[in-house]
Amino acid sequence: MTLYRATFLHTPANPFESDHALQIEDDGGLLVQSGSIVQSGSYTDVRAAYPAEPVEDLRGGLLLPGFIDTHVHYPQVRVIGGLGLPLLEWLDTITLPEEAKFGEDAYAAAIAREFVSGLTSNGTTTALIFGSHFASAVRILFQEASRAGLRAVAGQVVSDRMLRPELHTTPDRAYAEGKALIEEWHGRGRTLYAVTPRFSLSASEGILDACAALMTEFPDVRFTSHINENGREVETVRELFPGSRDYLDTYQRAGLVTRRSVLAHSIHPNDRELGAMAEHRCTAAHCPCSNSALGSGLFPLKRHLAAGVHVSLGTDVGGGTGFSMLKEGLQAHFMQQLMGPDGVPLSPAHLLYLATRAGAEALQLEGQLGDFSTGKSFDAVYLRPAAGSVMATVLSHAPSTERALASLFAGGTQSDVAQVWVAGDLVYSRSQPNSESIN
Ligand code: GUN
Ligand code: ZN
């Protein structure tokens, strides 16, 4: 057992529903046994209950639940930063040529390492990952995530039209390869499988039906795709599915909109779509850096919340600009601010919730992780700016712990991530020196 002593913050409740969702322990204690939190509270209380356990002193920074990135693409690490193109042009000229390289295992293996370390070194402990169109590359990703200790919810991306021939499959092959991957990886260690048609634009009804067959046969696997991201995309989907009421309906008619579904972007939904998303309890994964970089639009968070749609956060690497969930939270905040009366003011509690517990809820993992309550897995990120950095100065003068959290969302980067744990295992440790105490 280890007793972690730290200033910790977490959101066991939803700050969009409660004013008291953010819990702060300025001198907190988390007693961890076999990767799980056995007792959570003030250091004094936990120490009194466990006077003899070894203490790991993490004072001087902030300890948060590990970040949960609910939308990120494995084969897009090396194309981060293709700025200035709208979605469909960006896919054609930058992204799909890169994804076509993943038929080669050595290439996939190199990027699997870059991808997984990109996540863990930014404090992400769980990710819902768009895999590759190539089954072998997906296997390589699962192997690397397992080796590194990351919680990976991932799947083979499937499409059968409008991309490039080497990225196309058939419904039968999509089903067969998906089934084999599920049987090999779903529920093995920390990995779960997500059935992943790329988007309706590149999927025939046959492919969506093959996905639905997998979802029925394996009632515990997750589902993810894209929706309502870009005006031209939405228009094209409308033309491709004349029998569907709207974009959501292309998935809904196949039975793919459920509590297990996470749909990325959702920037241009109509009211029927929002109502159906809420009714079926699926999640919209908001990816604000990507939405800005690709000029996709302003996410109508207020309308999602009003309709009762669950919302989580994703980096959408490589449409997005990097793996930092701190940056993603900041960009979400910026965009809501810029929307004026149509925006939702996001407090530090909202940002922390979106970056952690909301993702656990999206993935139906909230019973196991996403906050520091007793019984949860010790998945954590220790943010401690390097000595002499601007962020160390800012934190050392923060008037409150909540303001320190806001400052880390505003200015924190990968360099402020000192240590990261998944189920009590250290999965990342920075080599740079720590700052002076912020307290
Ligand atoms: N829609 C279909 N594929 C993609 C992708 O790779 N990135 C984004 N942002 N949207 C998509
Ligand atoms: Zn995406």
Side-chain angles (χ1 to χ4, degrees):
M1 289 205 267
T2 306
L3 173 48
Y4 293 91
R5 182 176 192 178
T7 296
F8 73 77
L9 305 91
H10 63 147
T11 50
N14 181 344
F16 294 108
E17 293 168 0
S18 158
D19 289 338
H20 307 288
L22 180 64
Q23 291 192 8
I24 300 175
E25 287 288 352
D26 283 315
D27 185 10
L30 293 169
L31 198 274
V32 175
Q33 180 178 31
S34 308
S36 294
I37 299 167
V38 174
Q39 193 175 337
S40 169
S42 74
Y43 175 74
T44 310
D45 288 352
V46 181
R47 192 60 175 153
Y50 296 91
E53 300 309 326
V55 174
E56 182 147 348
D57 192 340
L58 300 175
R59 285 176 294 175
L62 297 185
L63 188 70
L64 307 178
F67 297 133
I68 302 178
D69 184 343
T70 57
H71 186 68
V72 59
H73 294 255
Y74 146 53
Q76 297 180 9
V77 181
R78 293 190 184 177
V79 297
I80 291 171
L83 303 175
L85 294 174
L87 174 67
L88 299 180
E89 287 79 356
W90 174 79
L91 283 172
D92 283 345
T93 60
I94 294 182
T95 307
L96 300 180
E98 172 71 7
E99 296 206 19
K101 299 179 189 169
F102 282 67
E104 196 192 309
D105 287 355
Y107 192 73
I111 294 176
R113 283 191 294 277
E114 295 166 7
F115 177 76
V116 171
S117 81
L119 288 167
T120 56
S121 62
N122 277 278
T124 294
T125 52
T126 301
L128 175 57
I129 302 164
F130 255 68
S132 165
H133 289 269
F134 299 95
S136 56
V138 178
R139 210 163 263 120
I140 287 166
L141 169 66
F142 277 128
Q143 282 162 353
E144 176 58 17
S146 302
R147 190 201 60 74
L150 176 76
R151 291 188 197 278
V153 187
Q156 180 183 21
V157 182
V158 293
S159 290
D160 64 349
R161 65 181 175 196
M162 293 179 75
L163 298 181
R164 309 159 59 94
E166 61 271 51
L167 300 182
H168 292 160
T169 186
T170 62
D172 285 349
R173 201 170 122 214
Y175 172 80
E177 290 183 347
K179 183 177 163 87
L181 284 165
I182 291 167
E183 287 172 342
E184 188 178 352
W185 290 103
H186 181 67
R188 175 168 163 188
R190 295 174 189 161
T191 65
L192 294 170
Y193 196 83
V195 172
T196 310
R198 188 165 197 130
F199 57 163
S200 291
L201 188 145
S202 67
S204 69
E205 286 179 13
I207 279 281
L208 297 178
D209 288 343
C211 291
L214 290 172
M215 297 300 292
T216 305
E217 187 170 342
F218 300 97
D220 189 38
V221 302
R222 311 310 197 257
F223 175 84
T224 191
S225 194
H226 295 96
I227 194 165
N228 282 321
E229 178 176 4
N230 165 286
R232 258 193 63 211
E233 171 214 18
V234 176
E235 188 53 41
T236 307
V237 168
R238 199 194 324 273
E239 290 162 11
L240 289 169
F241 290 86
S244 289
R245 288 169 287 184
D246 43 44
Y247 201 145
L248 185 77
D249 204 30
T250 62
Y251 301 127
Q252 202 180 340
R253 284 155 49 109
L256 295 170
V257 180
T258 74
R259 173 70 182 89
R260 296 186 276 156
S261 310
V262 177
L263 297 172
H265 303 297
S266 191
I267 303 169
H268 310 288
N270 63 35
D271 289 345
R272 190 207 77 81
E273 291 175 297
L274 289 176
M277 288 169 79
E279 183 189 342
H280 295 284
R281 299 171 63 219
C282 77
T283 294
H286 175 34
C287 307
C289 288
S290 165
N291 297 168
S292 305
L294 300 177
S296 303
L298 296 164
F299 178 68
L301 176 59
K302 200 179 211 175
R303 288 179 57 223
H304 282 75
L305 295 175
V309 180
H310 181 61
V311 175
S312 62
L313 204 56
T315 60
D316 195 24
V317 159
T321 59
F323 290 99
S324 173
M325 291 291 282
L326 294 171
K327 180 165 66 169
E328 215 58 54
L330 178 67
Q331 189 67 17
H333 176 80
F334 282 165
M335 293 176 87
Q336 293 303 312
Q337 292 267 94
L338 291 168
M339 289 170 74
D342 293 333
V344 179
L346 293 175
S347 67
H350 291 120
L351 300 185
L352 182 60
Y353 167 76
L354 285 169
T356 60
R357 166 127 189 149
E361 291 168 351
L363 296 168
Q364 295 185 285
L365 294 174
E366 70 276 14
Q368 292 149 254
L369 48 99
D371 64 67
F372 287 143
S373 304
T374 299
K376 297 284 165 72
S377 176
F378 185 65
D379 291 12
V381 50
Y382 180 45
L383 298 172
R384 181 165 180 167
S389 66
V390 171
M391 196 45 57
T393 309
V394 172
L395 291 200
S396 68
H397 293 96
S400 68
T401 305
E402 190 172 350
R403 277 283 294 280
L405 177 65
S407 297
L408 276 164
F409 271 107
T413 67
Q414 181 177 348
S415 67
D416 299 308
V417 175
Q419 286 172 286
V420 182
W421 298 261
V422 177
D425 297 335
L426 192 65
V427 297
Y428 173 75
S429 184
R430 180 184 61 189
S431 47
Q432 292 156 269
N434 286 332
S435 72
E436 299 302 308
S437 169
I438 63 164
N439 297 316

